[in-house]
Amino acid sequence: MAAGCTQSAERPASDFREADGRAAAQRWVSEEFTPSTLSRDQQLAEMEWFIKAAAPYRGMQINVVSETITTHEYESRQLAKAFTEITGIRIKHDLIQEGDVVEKLQTQIQGDQNIYDAYVNDSDLIGTHSRGDYVIPLSDYMAGEGKNVTSPTLDLDDFIGISFTTGPDKKIYQLPDQQFANLYWFRYDWFTDPEIKKQFRDAYGYDLGVPVNWAAYEDIADFFTNKVNGNGTIDGTKVYGHMDYGRKDPSLGWRFTDAWLSMAGNGDAGSPNGLPVDEWGIRVENCRPVGSSVTRGGDVNGPASVYALTKYVDWLKKYAPKEAAGMNFSESGPVPAQGHIAQQVFWYTSFTADMTKPGLPVVNSDGTPKWRIAPSPHGAYWKEGNKLGYQDAGAWTLLRNTPQDRRAAAWLYAQFVTSKTVSLKKSIAGLTFIRDSDIRSDYFAENSADYGGLIEFYGSPAREQWTPTGTNVPDYPRLAQLWWQNVATAVTGETTAQQSMDNLAKQQDDILSRLERRGGDCAPKLNPERDAQFWYDQPGAPAPKLADERGKPATLDYDELIAQWKAGN
């Protein structure tokens, strides 16, 4: 109580008046927060609740942080200002690189000092957060300490990623703020060109279309890079059938932990992350990770994972522009917009906003895209029910070592930037949907043609096969950094794909072993090592090497695919 009184006494006096907040709310609702899934009266009623709930915290400056993407730029530039004018709580919303967000988070946890009052960090950390005692589970907070500052219109059931932020104990640990998927991207105008279609069928014996599997993707990559119009050119410009990146950089790790192995077919079927072996190749029994290596029942260095790495390296070297091998995530992202890439197997929808700007080579004169997005093709080891792709879900997280009043004020801001009053406009600005009601809004129904299939994807059940890293990963920051270091040596040829994955599996198990010694609920408990054949003989993952890792190529007509999505299939 003494600490609380001290904090209140130190708070700067505020000359904010509720009448000013109401006037600001009316102005923002009229001029900025439109369209909305709420009526104007509903928006103003929601803002009235924020005005009243903020009363004890007026005059405070709250510090929050997120990574630098278009959605968070909108929050920092517009929504922080709106929140301050409407509530009287000042917000400093910092934008830094994703890796720096995690570093600040770890520093605050380990140093027991309050650097930021709330963090937007990836839900990939759910397995880490739920095993620690430094995060306040939002389920507990909303029912207890934060009950009076939890909006009655929050509507958790409307958040499409709430399952991603739920721990093994069924508690919600984070509130989704933005969400995007990696999908297959392709030049629809080229794929539907009659002459190009004829050339492809003559060369490969089947129709050019959305590749269902990696065999077809590989054929299409070869066709555009080497064979279209006899020399790999369209309208006199050299084109490429694949785009990727390969620089030794932390972002190279995301390229793999963001579900590349599951797309190849490693791990087990089961939503959302494969049971008992997930898309990282970690086996879990009764919530406890028991091993990454095949000899412990994991699948990090199994045939499916080695196949995944092999294909990545082969395609990068054979079918992508030469400079791609020296690029990182940020540098490679804008390349397809330059107009010389035919398809990309692993494309983040966070780039959608930047791919729809007028005047780009990939945008028609009427503003509609020349490209489309579709489900990513799967590899030879993939089985029905396996995870098919990744969704990134940046989510608000509250730490225990944040002072109680600062935590409450930050929680109000987190709810404000995800509220129904502002979420549709934020979705239009950043195209990183968090609410089902926004996806199904009249605005996106009327303008879906502008987004190349993105709205149809998010409105279909297909999106449920795209999930973030799950609860099997007990220490995301420490384990994730192993990936880019081991993948990089395969890109440079210092190690074979098998050696790289063997090294990764061993290093992951070493960290799991150290976490096991630390103990705790759902802590790792490594299986004893056994002959790999023992595990190959068991049902499910890890699977033995296939005699045919190519299979029969298959494609699907894009318009038929969209019809299936619209029908709910």
Side-chain angles (χ1 to χ4, degrees), residues 14-35:
S14 173
D15 58 1
F16 179 89
R17 297 180 306 166
E18 288 191 359
D20 297 332
R22 293 190 185 98
Q26 291 181 10
R27 185 176 68 256
W28 280 97
V29 165
S30 297
E31 298 176 5
E32 180 63 28
F33 302 150
T34 180

Side-chain angles (χ1 to χ4, degrees), residues 468-486:
T469 300
T471 58
N472 285 21
V473 180
D475 191 330
Y476 182 90
R478 294 173 68 188
L479 290 166
Q481 67 181 335
L482 301 176
W483 287 70
W484 63 274
Q485 298 172 28
N486 286 290

Side-chain angles (χ1 to χ4, degrees), residues 384-397:
E384 194 66 40
N386 272 39
K387 178 172 176 170
L388 191 49
Y390 170 84
Q391 286 199 64
D392 183 293
W396 288 100
T397 307

Side-chain angles (χ1 to χ4, degrees), residues 43 58 117 235 355 565:
Q43 288 179 285
R58 287 179 190 138
D117 302 309
D235 296 329
M355 293 284 287
W565 279 354

Side-chain angles (χ1 to χ4, degrees), residues 105 109 125 128-130 132-136 398-401:
L105 181 71
I109 294 165
L125 278 83
T128 316
H129 291 336
S130 62
D133 59 0
Y134 54 86
V135 166
I136 294 185
L398 303 179
L399 301 186
R400 292 190 186 277
N401 62 7

Side-chain angles (χ1 to χ4, degrees), residues 17-151:
R17 297 180 306 166
E18 288 191 359
D20 297 332
R22 293 190 185 98
Q26 291 181 10
R27 185 176 68 256
W28 280 97
V29 165
S30 297
E31 298 176 5
E32 180 63 28
F33 302 150
T34 180
S36 170
T37 57
L38 301 181
S39 69
R40 176 181 168 82
D41 287 346
Q42 289 173 322
Q43 288 179 285
L44 292 175
E46 190 168 59
M47 293 300 98
E48 179 68 19
W49 179 86
F50 280 101
I51 293 170
K52 295 290 188 184
Y57 314 104
R58 287 179 190 138
M60 296 178 68
Q61 175 175 297
I62 300 303
N63 304 313
V64 302
V65 68
S66 63
E67 66 175 301
T68 306
I69 63 172
T70 303
T71 296
H72 296 319
E73 289 172 352
Y74 179 74
E75 291 169 341
S76 179
R77 184 180 67 251
Q78 294 277 52
L79 299 187
K81 181 181 179 182
F83 182 76
T84 295
E85 292 182 3
I86 292 169
T87 67
I89 300 172
R90 290 178 291 126
I91 296 292
K92 185 174 183 289
H93 187 149
D94 287 348
L95 302 177
I96 59 179
Q97 293 302 307
E98 180 182 2
D100 295 331
V101 173
V102 176
E103 182 180 339
K104 294 290 187 184
L105 181 71
Q106 289 179 296
T107 299
Q108 178 160 337
I109 294 165
Q110 295 164 3
D112 198 24
Q113 55 178 315
N114 191 60
I115 302 173
Y116 286 103
D117 302 309
Y119 290 79
V120 181
N121 63 107
D122 282 358
S123 71
D124 294 329
L125 278 83
I126 184 61
T128 316
H129 291 336
S130 62
R131 287 177 172 87
D133 59 0
Y134 54 86
V135 166
I136 294 185
L138 293 181
S139 298
D140 295 345
Y141 184 75
M142 291 184 288
E145 176 192 315
K147 185 174 183 179
N148 292 335
V149 287
T150 297
S151 170

Side-chain angles (χ1 to χ4, degrees), residues 200-247:
F200 184 86
R201 175 166 261 292
D202 289 346
Y204 297 94
Y206 62 96
D207 289 334
L208 176 61
V210 174
V212 174
N213 54 25
W214 284 10
Y217 182 86
E218 193 167 59
D219 285 348
I220 296 169
D222 175 56
F223 172 71
F224 280 102
T225 304
N226 300 310
K227 298 178 181 178
V228 64
N229 294 324
N231 57 1
T233 65
I234 294 178
D235 296 329
T237 299
K238 175 70 184 119
V239 299
Y240 297 89
H242 176 62
M243 183 59 203
D244 217 318
Y245 62 97
R247 185 199 295 179

Side-chain angles (χ1 to χ4, degrees), residues 398-519:
L398 303 179
L399 301 186
R400 292 190 186 277
N401 62 7
T402 298
Q404 184 172 327
D405 57 347
R406 301 190 67 82
R407 183 162 55 232
W411 175 236
L412 286 173
Y413 178 65
Q415 294 172 95
F416 178 83
V417 300
T418 58
S419 67
K420 290 184 180 179
T421 292
V422 308
S423 64
L424 178 54
K425 184 58 182 290
K426 190 175 82 168
S427 295
I428 295 168
L431 299 176
T432 56
F433 308 103
I434 54 169
R435 287 188 177 274
D436 190 68
S437 57
D438 291 335
I439 297 164
R440 303 186 189 284
S441 67
D442 291 341
Y443 177 86
F444 282 119
E446 294 165 3
N447 294 280
S448 62
D450 294 340
Y451 302 107
L454 181 65
I455 308 306
E456 289 82 356
F457 169 76
Y458 269 105
S460 78
R463 75 178 188 217
E464 296 178 6
Q465 286 184 288
W466 276 254
T467 61
T469 300
T471 58
N472 285 21
V473 180
D475 191 330
Y476 182 90
R478 294 173 68 188
L479 290 166
Q481 67 181 335
L482 301 176
W483 287 70
W484 63 274
Q485 298 172 28
N486 286 290
V487 169
T489 60
V491 174
T492 61
E494 297 169 61
T495 56
T496 66
Q498 183 69 66
Q499 289 168 337
S500 291
M501 300 313 279
D502 286 343
N503 293 339
L504 175 60
K506 182 182 185 305
Q507 291 167 22
Q508 281 204 167
D509 281 347
D510 288 344
I511 289 179
L512 294 181
S513 179
R514 291 198 290 272
L515 294 174
E516 180 178 356
R517 292 193 292 272
R518 185 190 301 173

